[in-house]
Amino acid sequence: MGKMRLDKFLAAAGIGTRSEVKELMRRGEVTLNGSGCKKPEQKIDPVSDIISVSGKQVFYEEMSYFLFHKPAGCVSATKDEKEKTVLDYLKEPQCRDLFPVGRLDKDTEGLLLITNDGDLAHRLLSPRKHVDKTYYAKIEGKVDETDVKAFLEGIDIGDEEKTLPAKLVPLNIGEISEVEITIYEGRYHQIKRMFEAVGKKVLYLKRISMGPLILEESLEKGTYRRLSREEIAELKKGR
Ligand code: URA
C-alpha cells in the first residue's frame, strides 16, 4: 500500500466524513507519530506511520482480527433479541461485518477469534483442516486412564462417525477433576457430549488455545486485543 492523504486515511478507517476528520484535526485531536498534525493533505504511510485520534491509535486494515476472552453468559452470535452477543463487547465502529469464528456455548468461556475475514474463517472451520483447540475443564467425577484411552480412540457421541482421537490430560483427579483436552474438530457441544458418553459431566469449560492462538492470563474476561501480524500470518499459513 502506498502513501495517502491523512484525511483520506482517517475517513477510510471510519473516523468520520472528510469534513468531520478535518474538524478533529483543527481541534488538535490527531497525532502523527506522536506529534500533533493539522494538515489534512499530509501524506502518510498507513503501514509504518502511527496515527492516533484523541489518544487512541487508528488502524486501517482491509480485514480485522481480534482475540476475545468470552465470558459466560454471552452468545457466539452477531445479533440476538434477548442475549448479549460477543459483538456487544467489541467497541470497534470502524470495523465492518465482524463475526465470531465458530461457536462456544453460552456457558463456555475463553478464546474466541473475531474477524471479518470470511476466507480465513471458512478454512479454520473446515472439518478437513483439523485445527487443534485446547480447553481447560472441571469434570464431575474422577477422570481416569480409561477415559484418556477412550478419548484417544474416538468416542461414539451419537453422530454418524466417532470423534477423532482427542488428547485428554488429567491435571488433578478428585470428586471434581481438572483436565485439559485437545480436540481437532468442532461438533455441537462436543466436549460435553464426549464426557457424557463416558458417564461424566462437564461443570466448567474454557477454551485456552486454538491453533497458534493462546489466551493469555492477563486478558480479562469480556476484553479483547488485536492479533499480532505474526499470529495472523501463522493462522493463514495453517498449522
Ligand atoms: N465443546 C462443548 O461442549 N462446548 C463448547 O462450548 C465447546 C466445545
Side-chain angles (χ1 to χ4, degrees), residues 124-203:
L124 291 173
L125 295 177
S126 151
R128 266 170 294 128
K129 198 81 176 109
H130 301 166
V131 175
D132 53 297
K133 285 157 278 218
T134 300
Y135 295 79
Y136 164 83
K138 286 188 184 157
I139 309 296
E140 194 173 61
K142 290 187 178 161
V143 173
D144 56 25
E145 281 309 310
T146 323
D147 300 321
V148 173
K149 198 158 165 275
F151 276 44
L152 200 57
E153 280 168 2
I155 298 212
D156 180 358
I157 56 171
D159 293 344
E160 257 172 44
E161 310 236 340
K162 285 207 296 185
T163 55
L164 290 177
K167 194 171 146 204
L168 176 60
V169 181
L171 303 172
N172 228 325
I173 301 171
E175 290 314 319
I176 292 178
S177 301
E178 291 175 83
V179 301
E180 258 182 34
I181 168 167
T182 304
I183 57 174
Y184 302 86
E185 51 193 338
R187 303 194 204 175
Y188 183 63
H189 293 331
Q190 179 164 346
I191 292 180
K192 290 174 185 160
R193 288 161 69 209
M194 287 171 82
F195 278 102
E196 240 170 60
V198 295
K200 297 191 171 71
K201 186 167 178 223
V202 173
L203 301 175

Side-chain angles (χ1 to χ4, degrees), residues 36-102:
C37 180
K38 294 193 171 180
K39 287 196 292 185
E41 71 282 7
Q42 173 74 46
K43 286 279 189 306
I44 58 105
D45 182 331
V47 176
S48 58
D49 285 329
I50 296 178
I51 292 126
S52 301
V53 175
S54 311
K56 194 169 178 226
Q57 191 173 347
V58 176
F59 294 88
Y60 175 63
E61 306 159 317
E62 274 177 67
M63 302 288 175
S64 303
Y65 306 85
F66 300 98
L67 191 158
F68 175 53
H69 186 164
K70 178 190 169 308
C74 95
V75 293
S76 304
T78 52
K79 256 195 233 144
D80 195 284
E81 298 275 297
K82 293 189 221 110
E83 312 284 358
K84 205 163 178 181
T85 74
V86 292
L87 290 195
D88 290 326
Y89 290 85
L90 260 85
K91 302 292 173 226
E92 302 291 333
Q94 80 282 14
C95 303
R96 288 176 206 104
D97 306 325
L98 291 172
F99 61 90
V101 177

